Amino acid sequence: MASKREVLTWEGQEIVVTNPDKVFFPDLGLAKRELVSYYLAVSDGALRGVSGRPMMLKRFPDGVAKEAFYQKRAPEHRPDFIETVTLAFPSGRTADEIVVRDARALAWIVNLGCVDLNPHPVRAADLEHPDELRIDLDPVPGVEFSQIIEVAQVARHVLEDFGLTGWPKTSGSRGIHIYVRIAPKWTFDEVRRAALTVAREVERRAPTVATSKWWKEERHGVFLDYNQNAKDRTTASAYSVRPTPDARVSMPISWDDLSACNPADFTLRTVPALFKAHGDAHARIDDTCGSLDRLLELAAQHERDGLGDAPWPPHFAKADREPTRAAPSRLRGQGKRTPKLPLLVIGQAKKKEDALARLERWKARYPNVAAMLAPDDILVDAMRGRYSIWTRIRVNLKNVPEAERPPQETPDPDYSMADEWRSPSGRKSTKARTPE
């Protein structure tokens, strides 16, 4: 049976929506039709963040309550107006990724089930030199939004001190993103090193609330995730709807308005009217192209002072002068593993809610221990698999007297990333899915 189709008209162009009544946000009753209509309404702003950039597709074919999958390669069957460009990844593989340049192409990828937009920080004309530095403020559990704003303001002043202009937006989750337009003349490694330098300078100025530490067990306050600037990393762009129950939006906002904003106010239902009334807070972002020279000079000084590189993400080749890529709790001593921090793995699950449910059961089993845990003692790790994200939860028992610490038990659930590489027949299908 042919799927139901609906044709929307936008600026004289026909926009085809398949299965328009399919519910994407069950808590709100919002269907694919509303999602496509949202992106058309804010297309001027959304395109400012994605236009001309290759994009990884993060698809929710059955809505946000179901599992998403990642698709780097453009679907084989696509209309002529969809542009692609060939990207090479650190793994050595290549993929033809979609490049969106207008509202029609934007609506087409949303019709595939893309709820948020995940472009690379490069343009199709130059795939090896980013034109965007991304500062990702990622709070540890228990941190209030006011503290994230405090760190964002410190980051703003650091950028200004080095001749750069930061443009903030809510992440649509718990954090804040700050985007910085730069001239496309530095490599991915150099842009990442500049981001690491920003993170360390913010940490130096605000050591009690900010951290540049890569390993979660060492973090406190707000982590400045410099590795979001590594090649092949993407983040949700401006005006992206996030896969949250309330359909929250990653909303561009001015520095003046940031301190008083409530991220929950920005949703699929509210943002179109705000956009129409006030325009795009990032309208001038492309007019503020800056240089990384001064940040890289400070990075070189750090190197001379003995403060070299920091850990890279998993799956990246070991970099020159990179420190040992192992969490402190996994460092080895004289032929024997000697944990530096007392960590327990509580659960590993395909779905985050299953891992969190296991944490609650563990707390109920050990209530006295749970009462001693600080918010940042609970580590919720989003683990990237081949096609999707799974969740690991650990607890740091550093605040629990050694005699009262529970033993490591078999995680329950105990999901293995190796499962992503197998189907029931033993192999994972690589066939791209068509529009839902």
Side-chain angles (χ1 to χ4, degrees), residues 51-103:
S51 182
R53 301 184 185 278
M55 185 183 303
M56 180 184 67
L57 306 181
K58 180 183 176 185
R59 298 174 61 180
F60 294 82
D62 299 311
V64 301
K66 303 292 185 179
E67 182 181 350
F69 70 95
Y70 292 88
Q71 181 178 334
K72 292 183 177 180
R73 290 166 177 79
E76 181 179 353
H77 302 291
R78 57 184 184 268
D80 292 339
F81 62 80
I82 294 297
E83 178 184 342
T84 64
V85 67
T86 302
L87 266 71
F89 301 106
S91 65
R93 296 185 177 91
T94 61
D96 291 339
E97 291 200 1
I98 288 176
V99 178
V100 168
R101 294 191 186 274
D102 58 24

CSV table of all heavy atoms in Angstrom, one decimal, residues 51-103:
chain,number,residue,atom,x,y,z
A,51,SER,N,23.7,25.6,5.9
A,51,SER,CA,23.9,25.8,4.5
A,51,SER,C,25.3,25.5,4.0
A,51,SER,O,26.2,26.1,4.5
A,51,SER,CB,23.4,27.2,4.1
A,51,SER,OG,23.5,27.3,2.7
A,52,GLY,N,25.4,24.7,3.0
A,52,GLY,CA,26.7,24.4,2.4
A,52,GLY,C,27.6,23.5,3.2
A,52,GLY,O,28.7,23.2,2.8
A,53,ARG,N,27.1,22.9,4.3
A,53,ARG,CA,27.8,22.0,5.1
A,53,ARG,C,27.4,20.6,4.9
A,53,ARG,O,26.2,20.3,4.9
A,53,ARG,CB,27.7,22.4,6.6
A,53,ARG,CG,28.1,23.8,7.0
A,53,ARG,CD,28.0,24.1,8.5
A,53,ARG,NE,28.2,25.4,8.8
A,53,ARG,CZ,29.5,26.0,8.9
A,53,ARG,NH1,30.5,25.2,8.7
A,53,ARG,NH2,29.6,27.2,9.2
A,54,PRO,N,28.3,19.6,4.8
A,54,PRO,CA,27.9,18.2,4.8
A,54,PRO,C,27.3,17.9,6.1
A,54,PRO,O,27.7,18.4,7.2
A,54,PRO,CB,29.2,17.5,4.5
A,54,PRO,CG,30.3,18.4,4.9
A,54,PRO,CD,29.8,19.8,4.7
A,55,MET,N,26.3,17.0,6.1
A,55,MET,CA,25.5,16.7,7.3
A,55,MET,C,25.4,15.2,7.5
A,55,MET,O,25.0,14.4,6.6
A,55,MET,CB,24.2,17.3,7.1
A,55,MET,CG,23.3,17.2,8.3
A,55,MET,SD,21.6,17.9,8.1
A,55,MET,CE,22.1,19.6,7.6
A,56,MET,N,25.7,14.8,8.7
A,56,MET,CA,25.3,13.4,9.1
A,56,MET,C,23.8,13.3,9.4
A,56,MET,O,23.3,14.3,10.1
A,56,MET,CB,26.2,13.0,10.3
A,56,MET,CG,25.9,11.6,10.8
A,56,MET,SD,26.8,11.1,12.3
A,56,MET,CE,26.0,12.2,13.5
A,57,LEU,N,23.2,12.3,9.0
A,57,LEU,CA,21.7,12.2,9.3
A,57,LEU,C,21.5,11.3,10.5
A,57,LEU,O,22.0,10.2,10.6
A,57,LEU,CB,21.1,11.5,8.1
A,57,LEU,CG,21.3,12.1,6.7
A,57,LEU,CD1,20.5,11.4,5.6
A,57,LEU,CD2,20.8,13.6,6.7
A,58,LYS,N,20.8,11.9,11.4
A,58,LYS,CA,20.4,11.2,12.7
A,58,LYS,C,18.9,11.0,12.6
A,58,LYS,O,18.1,11.9,12.8
A,58,LYS,CB,20.8,12.0,13.9
A,58,LYS,CG,20.4,11.3,15.2
A,58,LYS,CD,20.8,12.3,16.4
A,58,LYS,CE,20.3,11.7,17.7
A,58,LYS,NZ,20.6,12.7,18.8
A,59,ARG,N,18.5,9.8,12.2
A,59,ARG,CA,17.1,9.5,11.8
A,59,ARG,C,16.3,8.8,12.9
A,59,ARG,O,16.7,7.9,13.5
A,59,ARG,CB,17.1,8.7,10.5
A,59,ARG,CG,17.7,9.5,9.4
A,59,ARG,CD,17.8,8.6,8.1
A,59,ARG,NE,16.5,8.2,7.6
A,59,ARG,CZ,16.4,7.4,6.5
A,59,ARG,NH1,17.4,7.0,5.9
A,59,ARG,NH2,15.1,7.1,6.2
A,60,PHE,N,15.1,9.4,13.1
A,60,PHE,CA,14.1,8.8,14.0
A,60,PHE,C,12.9,8.4,13.2
A,60,PHE,O,11.8,9.1,13.2
A,60,PHE,CB,13.7,9.8,15.1
A,60,PHE,CG,14.7,10.2,16.1
A,60,PHE,CD1,15.7,11.2,15.7
A,60,PHE,CD2,14.8,9.6,17.3
A,60,PHE,CE1,16.7,11.6,16.6
A,60,PHE,CE2,15.8,10.0,18.2
A,60,PHE,CZ,16.7,11.0,17.9
A,61,PRO,N,13.0,7.3,12.5
A,61,PRO,CA,11.9,7.0,11.6
A,61,PRO,C,10.5,6.7,12.3
A,61,PRO,O,9.5,6.8,11.6
A,61,PRO,CB,12.4,5.7,10.8
A,61,PRO,CG,13.4,5.2,11.7
A,61,PRO,CD,14.1,6.3,12.4
A,62,ASP,N,10.6,6.3,13.5
A,62,ASP,CA,9.4,6.0,14.3
A,62,ASP,C,9.1,7.0,15.4
A,62,ASP,O,8.4,6.7,16.4
A,62,ASP,CB,9.4,4.6,14.8
A,62,ASP,CG,9.5,3.6,13.7
A,62,ASP,OD1,8.7,3.7,12.7
A,62,ASP,OD2,10.4,2.7,13.7
A,63,GLY,N,9.7,8.2,15.3
A,63,GLY,CA,9.5,9.2,16.4
A,63,GLY,C,10.6,9.1,17.5
A,63,GLY,O,11.4,8.1,17.5
A,64,VAL,N,10.6,10.1,18.3
A,64,VAL,CA,11.6,10.2,19.3
A,64,VAL,C,11.5,9.2,20.5
A,64,VAL,O,12.5,9.0,21.2
A,64,VAL,CB,11.7,11.7,19.9
A,64,VAL,CG1,11.9,12.7,18.8
A,64,VAL,CG2,10.4,12.0,20.7
A,65,ALA,N,10.4,8.6,20.6
A,65,ALA,CA,10.3,7.5,21.6
A,65,ALA,C,10.9,6.2,21.2
A,65,ALA,O,11.1,5.3,22.1
A,65,ALA,CB,8.8,7.3,22.0
A,66,LYS,N,11.3,6.1,20.0
A,66,LYS,CA,11.9,4.9,19.5
A,66,LYS,C,13.4,5.2,19.2
A,66,LYS,O,13.8,6.3,19.2
A,66,LYS,CB,11.2,4.4,18.2
A,66,LYS,CG,9.7,4.1,18.4
A,66,LYS,CD,9.5,3.0,19.3
A,66,LYS,CE,8.0,2.6,19.3
A,66,LYS,NZ,7.7,1.4,20.2
A,67,GLU,N,14.1,4.1,18.9
A,67,GLU,CA,15.6,4.2,18.7
A,67,GLU,C,15.9,5.0,17.4
A,67,GLU,O,15.2,4.8,16.3
A,67,GLU,CB,16.2,2.8,18.6
A,67,GLU,CG,17.7,2.8,18.5
A,67,GLU,CD,18.3,1.4,18.4
A,67,GLU,OE1,17.5,0.5,18.7
A,67,GLU,OE2,19.4,1.3,18.1
A,68,ALA,N,16.9,5.8,17.4
A,68,ALA,CA,17.4,6.5,16.3
A,68,ALA,C,18.5,5.7,15.7
A,68,ALA,O,19.1,4.8,16.3
A,68,ALA,CB,17.9,7.9,16.6
A,69,PHE,N,18.9,6.0,14.4
A,69,PHE,CA,20.1,5.5,13.9
A,69,PHE,C,20.8,6.6,13.1
A,69,PHE,O,20.2,7.5,12.6
A,69,PHE,CB,19.9,4.2,13.0
A,69,PHE,CG,19.2,4.5,11.7
A,69,PHE,CD1,19.9,4.7,10.5
A,69,PHE,CD2,17.8,4.6,11.6
A,69,PHE,CE1,19.2,5.0,9.3
A,69,PHE,CE2,17.1,4.9,10.4
A,69,PHE,CZ,17.9,5.0,9.3
A,70,TYR,N,22.2,6.4,13.0
A,70,TYR,CA,23.0,7.4,12.3
A,70,TYR,C,23.3,6.9,10.9
A,70,TYR,O,23.6,5.7,10.7
A,70,TYR,CB,24.3,7.6,13.1
A,70,TYR,CG,24.1,8.3,14.4
A,70,TYR,CD1,23.9,7.6,15.5
A,70,TYR,CD2,24.2,9.7,14.5
A,70,TYR,CE1,23.7,8.2,16.8
A,70,TYR,CE2,24.0,10.3,15.7
A,70,TYR,CZ,23.8,9.5,16.9
A,70,TYR,OH,23.6,10.2,18.1
A,71,GLN,N,23.3,7.9,10.0
A,71,GLN,CA,23.5,7.5,8.6
A,71,GLN,C,24.4,8.6,8.0
A,71,GLN,O,24.0,9.7,7.8
A,71,GLN,CB,22.2,7.4,7.8
A,71,GLN,CG,22.3,7.1,6.3
A,71,GLN,CD,21.0,6.9,5.6
A,71,GLN,OE1,20.0,6.6,6.3
A,71,GLN,NE2,21.0,7.1,4.3
A,72,LYS,N,25.6,8.2,7.7
A,72,LYS,CA,26.5,9.2,7.0
A,72,LYS,C,26.3,9.2,5.5
A,72,LYS,O,26.4,10.3,4.9
A,72,LYS,CB,28.0,8.7,7.3
A,72,LYS,CG,28.4,8.9,8.7
A,72,LYS,CD,29.9,8.5,8.9
A,72,LYS,CE,30.3,8.7,10.4
A,72,LYS,NZ,31.7,8.4,10.6
A,73,ARG,N,26.0,8.1,4.9
A,73,ARG,CA,25.9,8.1,3.4
A,73,ARG,C,24.5,8.5,3.0
A,73,ARG,O,23.5,8.1,3.6
A,73,ARG,CB,26.2,6.7,2.9
A,73,ARG,CG,27.7,6.4,3.1
A,73,ARG,CD,28.0,4.9,2.9
A,73,ARG,NE,29.4,4.7,2.9
A,73,ARG,CZ,30.1,4.6,4.1
A,73,ARG,NH1,29.5,4.7,5.2
A,73,ARG,NH2,31.4,4.4,4.1
A,74,ALA,N,24.4,9.4,2.0
A,74,ALA,CA,23.2,9.8,1.5
A,74,ALA,C,22.4,8.6,0.9
A,74,ALA,O,23.0,7.7,0.3
A,74,ALA,CB,23.4,10.9,0.4
A,75,PRO,N,21.1,8.6,1.1
A,75,PRO,CA,20.3,7.5,0.5
A,75,PRO,C,20.5,7.4,-1.0
A,75,PRO,O,20.7,8.4,-1.7
A,75,PRO,CB,18.9,7.9,0.8
A,75,PRO,CG,19.0,8.8,2.0
A,75,PRO,CD,20.2,9.5,1.8
A,76,GLU,N,20.6,6.2,-1.5
A,76,GLU,CA,20.8,6.0,-2.9
A,76,GLU,C,19.8,6.6,-3.8
A,76,GLU,O,20.0,7.2,-4.9
A,76,GLU,CB,20.9,4.5,-3.2
A,76,GLU,CG,21.2,4.1,-4.7
A,76,GLU,CD,21.4,2.7,-4.9
A,76,GLU,OE1,21.4,1.9,-3.9
A,76,GLU,OE2,21.5,2.2,-6.1
A,77,HIS,N,18.5,6.5,-3.4
A,77,HIS,CA,17.4,7.1,-4.1
A,77,HIS,C,17.1,8.4,-3.5
A,77,HIS,O,16.5,8.5,-2.4
A,77,HIS,CB,16.2,6.1,-4.1
A,77,HIS,CG,16.5,4.8,-4.7
A,77,HIS,ND1,16.8,4.5,-6.0
A,77,HIS,CD2,16.7,3.5,-4.1
A,77,HIS,CE1,17.0,3.3,-6.2
A,77,HIS,NE2,17.0,2.6,-5.1
A,78,ARG,N,17.4,9.5,-4.2
A,78,ARG,CA,17.1,10.8,-3.8
A,78,ARG,C,16.8,11.7,-5.0
A,78,ARG,O,17.3,11.4,-6.1
A,78,ARG,CB,18.3,11.3,-3.0
A,78,ARG,CG,19.6,11.3,-3.8
A,78,ARG,CD,20.8,11.7,-2.9
A,78,ARG,NE,22.1,11.8,-3.7
A,78,ARG,CZ,22.9,10.8,-3.8
A,78,ARG,NH1,22.7,9.7,-3.2
A,78,ARG,NH2,24.0,11.0,-4.6
A,79,PRO,N,16.1,12.8,-4.7
A,79,PRO,CA,15.8,13.7,-5.8
A,79,PRO,C,17.0,14.4,-6.4
A,79,PRO,O,18.0,14.6,-5.7
A,79,PRO,CB,14.8,14.7,-5.2
A,79,PRO,CG,15.0,14.6,-3.8
A,79,PRO,CD,15.5,13.2,-3.5
A,80,ASP,N,16.9,15.0,-7.6
A,80,ASP,CA,18.0,15.6,-8.2
A,80,ASP,C,18.5,16.9,-7.5
A,80,ASP,O,19.6,17.3,-7.6
A,80,ASP,CB,17.6,16.0,-9.7
A,80,ASP,CG,17.5,14.8,-10.6
A,80,ASP,OD1,18.0,13.7,-10.2
A,80,ASP,OD2,16.8,14.9,-11.6
A,81,PHE,N,17.6,17.5,-6.7
A,81,PHE,CA,17.9,18.7,-6.1
A,81,PHE,C,18.8,18.5,-4.8
A,81,PHE,O,19.2,19.5,-4.1
A,81,PHE,CB,16.7,19.6,-5.7
A,81,PHE,CG,15.7,19.0,-4.8
A,81,PHE,CD1,15.9,19.0,-3.4
A,81,PHE,CD2,14.6,18.4,-5.3
A,81,PHE,CE1,15.0,18.4,-2.6
A,81,PHE,CE2,13.6,17.9,-4.4
A,81,PHE,CZ,13.8,17.9,-3.1
A,82,ILE,N,19.0,17.3,-4.4
A,82,ILE,CA,19.8,17.0,-3.2
A,82,ILE,C,21.3,16.9,-3.6
A,82,ILE,O,21.7,16.0,-4.4
A,82,ILE,CB,19.3,15.7,-2.5
A,82,ILE,CG1,17.9,15.9,-1.9
A,82,ILE,CG2,20.3,15.3,-1.4
A,82,ILE,CD1,17.8,16.9,-0.9
A,83,GLU,N,22.1,17.7,-3.1
A,83,GLU,CA,23.5,17.8,-3.3
A,83,GLU,C,24.3,16.9,-2.4
A,83,GLU,O,23.9,16.8,-1.2
A,83,GLU,CB,24.0,19.3,-3.2
A,83,GLU,CG,25.5,19.5,-3.4
A,83,GLU,CD,25.9,20.9,-3.2
A,83,GLU,OE1,25.0,21.8,-3.2
A,83,GLU,OE2,27.1,21.1,-3.0
A,84,THR,N,25.4,16.3,-2.8
A,84,THR,CA,26.2,15.6,-1.9
A,84,THR,C,27.7,16.0,-2.1
A,84,THR,O,28.0,16.6,-3.2
A,84,THR,CB,26.1,14.0,-2.2
A,84,THR,OG1,26.5,13.7,-3.5
A,84,THR,CG2,24.7,13.6,-2.0
A,85,VAL,N,28.5,15.6,-1.2
A,85,VAL,CA,30.0,15.8,-1.3
A,85,VAL,C,30.6,14.6,-0.6
A,85,VAL,O,30.1,14.1,0.4
A,85,VAL,CB,30.4,17.1,-0.6
A,85,VAL,CG1,30.2,17.1,0.9
A,85,VAL,CG2,31.8,17.5,-1.0
A,86,THR,N,31.8,14.2,-1.0
A,86,THR,CA,32.5,13.1,-0.5
A,86,THR,C,33.4,13.5,0.6
A,86,THR,O,34.3,14.3,0.4
A,86,THR,CB,33.3,12.3,-1.6
A,86,THR,OG1,32.4,12.0,-2.7
A,86,THR,CG2,34.0,11.1,-1.0
A,87,LEU,N,33.2,12.9,1.8
A,87,LEU,CA,34.0,13.2,3.0
A,87,LEU,C,34.9,12.0,3.2
A,87,LEU,O,34.5,10.8,3.1
A,87,LEU,CB,33.1,13.4,4.2
A,87,LEU,CG,32.8,14.9,4.6
A,87,LEU,CD1,31.8,15.4,3.6
A,87,LEU,CD2,32.2,15.0,6.0
A,88,ALA,N,36.1,12.3,3.7
A,88,ALA,CA,37.0,11.2,4.2
A,88,ALA,C,37.1,11.3,5.7
A,88,ALA,O,37.2,12.4,6.2
A,88,ALA,CB,38.4,11.4,3.6
A,89,PHE,N,37.0,10.2,6.4
A,89,PHE,CA,37.0,10.2,7.8
A,89,PHE,C,38.3,9.6,8.4
A,89,PHE,O,39.1,9.0,7.7
A,89,PHE,CB,35.8,9.3,8.3
A,89,PHE,CG,34.5,9.7,7.8
A,89,PHE,CD1,33.9,9.1,6.8
A,89,PHE,CD2,33.9,10.9,8.3
A,89,PHE,CE1,32.6,9.5,6.3
A,89,PHE,CE2,32.7,11.3,7.8
A,89,PHE,CZ,32.1,10.6,6.8
A,90,PRO,N,38.6,9.9,9.7
A,90,PRO,CA,39.8,9.4,10.3
A,90,PRO,C,40.0,7.9,10.2
A,90,PRO,O,41.1,7.4,10.2
A,90,PRO,CB,39.6,9.8,11.8
A,90,PRO,CG,38.7,11.0,11.8
A,90,PRO,CD,37.8,10.7,10.6
A,91,SER,N,38.9,7.1,10.0
A,91,SER,CA,39.1,5.7,9.9
A,91,SER,C,39.6,5.3,8.5
A,91,SER,O,40.0,4.2,8.3
A,91,SER,CB,37.7,5.1,10.0
A,91,SER,OG,36.8,5.5,9.0
A,92,GLY,N,39.6,6.3,7.6
A,92,GLY,CA,40.1,6.0,6.2
A,92,GLY,C,38.9,5.7,5.3
A,92,GLY,O,39.1,5.7,4.0
A,93,ARG,N,37.7,5.6,5.8
A,93,ARG,CA,36.5,5.4,5.0
A,93,ARG,C,36.1,6.7,4.4
A,93,ARG,O,36.4,7.8,4.9
A,93,ARG,CB,35.4,4.8,5.7
A,93,ARG,CG,35.7,3.3,6.3
A,93,ARG,CD,34.4,2.8,6.9
A,93,ARG,NE,34.6,1.4,7.4
A,93,ARG,CZ,35.0,1.1,8.6
A,93,ARG,NH1,35.3,2.0,9.5
A,93,ARG,NH2,35.2,-0.2,8.9
A,94,THR,N,35.3,6.6,3.3
A,94,THR,CA,34.7,7.8,2.7
A,94,THR,C,33.2,7.6,2.7
A,94,THR,O,32.6,6.5,2.8
A,94,THR,CB,35.2,8.1,1.3
A,94,THR,OG1,34.9,7.0,0.5
A,94,THR,CG2,36.7,8.3,1.4
A,95,ALA,N,32.5,8.8,2.5
A,95,ALA,CA,31.0,8.7,2.4
A,95,ALA,C,30.5,9.9,1.7
A,95,ALA,O,31.1,11.0,1.8
A,95,ALA,CB,30.3,8.6,3.8
A,96,ASP,N,29.5,9.8,0.8
A,96,ASP,CA,28.9,10.9,0.2
A,96,ASP,C,27.8,11.4,1.1
A,96,ASP,O,26.7,10.7,1.3
A,96,ASP,CB,28.2,10.5,-1.1
A,96,ASP,CG,29.3,10.1,-2.2
A,96,ASP,OD1,30.4,10.6,-2.0
A,96,ASP,OD2,29.0,9.4,-3.2
A,97,GLU,N,28.0,12.6,1.7
A,97,GLU,CA,27.0,13.1,2.7
A,97,GLU,C,26.2,14.2,2.0
A,97,GLU,O,26.7,14.9,1.1
A,97,GLU,CB,27.7,13.7,3.9
A,97,GLU,CG,28.3,12.6,4.8
A,97,GLU,CD,28.6,13.0,6.2
A,97,GLU,OE1,28.3,14.2,6.5
A,97,GLU,OE2,29.1,12.2,7.0
A,98,ILE,N,25.0,14.4,2.5
A,98,ILE,CA,24.1,15.4,2.0
A,98,ILE,C,24.6,16.8,2.4
A,98,ILE,O,25.0,17.1,3.5
A,98,ILE,CB,22.7,15.2,2.5
A,98,ILE,CG1,22.1,13.9,1.8
A,98,ILE,CG2,21.8,16.4,2.2
A,98,ILE,CD1,20.8,13.5,2.3
A,99,VAL,N,24.4,17.7,1.4
A,99,VAL,CA,24.7,19.2,1.6
A,99,VAL,C,23.4,19.9,1.4
A,99,VAL,O,22.8,19.9,0.3
A,99,VAL,CB,25.8,19.7,0.7
A,99,VAL,CG1,26.0,21.2,0.9
A,99,VAL,CG2,27.1,18.9,0.9
A,100,VAL,N,22.9,20.6,2.4
A,100,VAL,CA,21.6,21.3,2.3
A,100,VAL,C,21.9,22.8,2.0
A,100,VAL,O,22.8,23.4,2.6
A,100,VAL,CB,20.8,21.2,3.6
A,100,VAL,CG1,19.7,22.2,3.7
A,100,VAL,CG2,20.3,19.8,3.8
A,101,ARG,N,21.2,23.3,1.0
A,101,ARG,CA,21.4,24.8,0.7
A,101,ARG,C,20.1,25.6,0.6
A,101,ARG,O,20.2,26.8,0.6
A,101,ARG,CB,22.1,24.9,-0.7
A,101,ARG,CG,23.5,24.3,-0.7
A,101,ARG,CD,24.2,24.7,-2.0
A,101,ARG,NE,25.5,24.1,-2.0
A,101,ARG,CZ,26.7,24.6,-1.5
A,101,ARG,NH1,26.6,25.7,-0.9
A,101,ARG,NH2,27.8,23.9,-1.7
A,102,ASP,N,18.9,24.9,0.7
A,102,ASP,CA,17.7,25.7,0.6
A,102,ASP,C,16.6,24.9,1.4
A,102,ASP,O,16.8,23.8,1.9
A,102,ASP,CB,17.2,25.9,-0.8
A,102,ASP,CG,17.0,24.6,-1.6
A,102,ASP,OD1,16.8,23.5,-1.0
A,102,ASP,OD2,17.1,24.6,-2.8
A,103,ALA,N,15.5,25.6,1.6
A,103,ALA,CA,14.4,25.1,2.4
A,103,ALA,C,13.8,23.8,1.9
A,103,ALA,O,13.4,22.9,2.7
A,103,ALA,CB,13.3,26.1,2.5
